[in-house]
Amino acid sequence: MALENFREILSVTATITTIIQFLTGVIICLSIRRKGGSGDISGFPFIAGVLGCSLWLRYGMLMKDTAMTVVNAVGLVLQLCYVFMYYLYATNKGPYLKQVVIVFSVILSTMLYVAVEPIEDKAEFRLGLLCCATTLIFCSAPLATLGDVLRTRSTETLPFYLILANVLVAAQWFLYGVAVHNTFVQVPNFISCLIALFQLALFAFFPSTNTRTKLQNVV
């Protein structure tokens, strides 16, 4: 049976799992609130989330894709809340505010371009390309910790369950991209899935006491 026949199912499951993944930011914000400050926790992932959700939301609206529109609308609201919460407790508000201004400037510039571009197909292609490139940059970020893992031969610093969730979310959106024949959805999610799978494989090569327990729980 063709994958297109599962389009609706994939759209629902991918939307639900992605929103659940977005909600992990609540845990981080509550932790920051309990500590009374951001400490060494980076707030950039929240800003990146605003950028990604904004771009994909506009792209989904251009494509008239309900799944992409809904999930990124919910994600944008959540990420904006996280940015605001982080700013309230940020140790260094100045640098964080600069990051916010830069990202919002990029979003505004992109939205203005899409609004004034007379050829809709050209706007769709260029915005899709930007969404794809942005997602690839962000999904490659976790590889920055690879050096630490190889040097210490330990996966203690890697968030096992978050990585596992990334595999599930990316795989579902990749399949959805195949179902709707959209390369801009397929490519970044396929690569993101491969990166997450590679990270999961590190738990097998460099298991610790905690990771052995986690792997046994999954099995």
Side-chain angles (χ1 to χ4, degrees):
M1 186 177 291
L3 194 58
E4 288 86 345
N5 297 328
F6 295 96
R7 174 178 173 174
E8 293 303 320
I9 296 176
L10 284 170
S11 68
V12 172
T13 57
T15 297
I16 293 173
T17 53
T18 305
I19 291 175
I20 292 174
Q21 186 184 44
F22 284 150
L23 289 171
T24 57
V26 174
I27 300 173
I28 298 173
C29 287
L30 289 176
S31 175
I32 292 174
R33 184 181 179 184
R34 281 196 299 269
K35 293 177 181 178
S38 60
D40 58 352
I41 299 176
S42 173
F44 184 73
F46 297 147
I47 301 176
V50 170
L51 176 61
C53 287
S54 297
L55 297 179
W56 280 110
L57 172 60
R58 190 68 185 93
Y59 182 71
M61 292 171 66
L62 279 177
M63 299 299 295
K64 298 178 176 60
D65 187 293
T66 303
M68 277 193 280
T69 302
V70 171
V71 74
N72 286 291
V74 173
L76 179 57
V77 171
L78 290 173
Q79 298 297 341
L80 285 171
C81 291
Y82 300 153
V83 167
F84 178 72
M85 176 65 75
Y86 185 89
Y87 179 75
L88 290 178
Y89 293 93
T91 304
N92 298 309
K93 287 184 168 58
Y96 188 67
L97 188 58
K98 289 181 181 178
Q99 293 178 352
V100 172
V101 171
I102 291 173
V103 168
F104 273 76
S105 298
V106 172
I107 294 172
L108 180 60
S109 300
T110 304
M111 299 306 158
L112 286 174
Y113 163 73
V114 173
V116 302
E117 173 58 60
I119 305 175
E120 187 172 315
D121 288 344
K122 184 182 291 186
E124 286 181 4
F125 176 79
R126 290 178 175 174
L127 181 57
L129 197 62
L130 180 60
C131 289
C132 186
T134 304
T135 303
L136 285 176
I137 292 172
F138 292 148
C139 76
S140 300
L143 292 178
T145 61
L146 180 59
D148 292 332
V149 173
L150 294 177
R151 185 176 61 258
T152 61
R153 302 182 69 81
S154 173
T155 51
E156 293 290 347
T157 58
L158 296 180
F160 179 82
Y161 292 111
L162 182 57
I163 295 172
L164 184 61
N166 287 339
V167 172
L168 296 176
V169 170
Q172 288 179 87
W173 282 111
F174 166 69
L175 292 175
Y176 180 76
V178 174
V180 298
H181 307 288
N182 191 310
T183 304
F184 291 131
V185 177
Q186 295 173 29
V187 173
N189 284 291
F190 178 71
I191 295 176
S192 180
C193 186
L194 288 181
I195 291 174
L197 284 172
F198 173 72
Q199 288 180 295
L200 282 183
L202 292 176
F203 284 90
F205 285 106
F206 304 114
S208 62
T209 303
N210 290 338
T211 54
R212 286 196 189 97
T213 302
K214 292 173 183 175
L215 288 170
Q216 289 172 358
N217 290 339
V218 171
V219 175

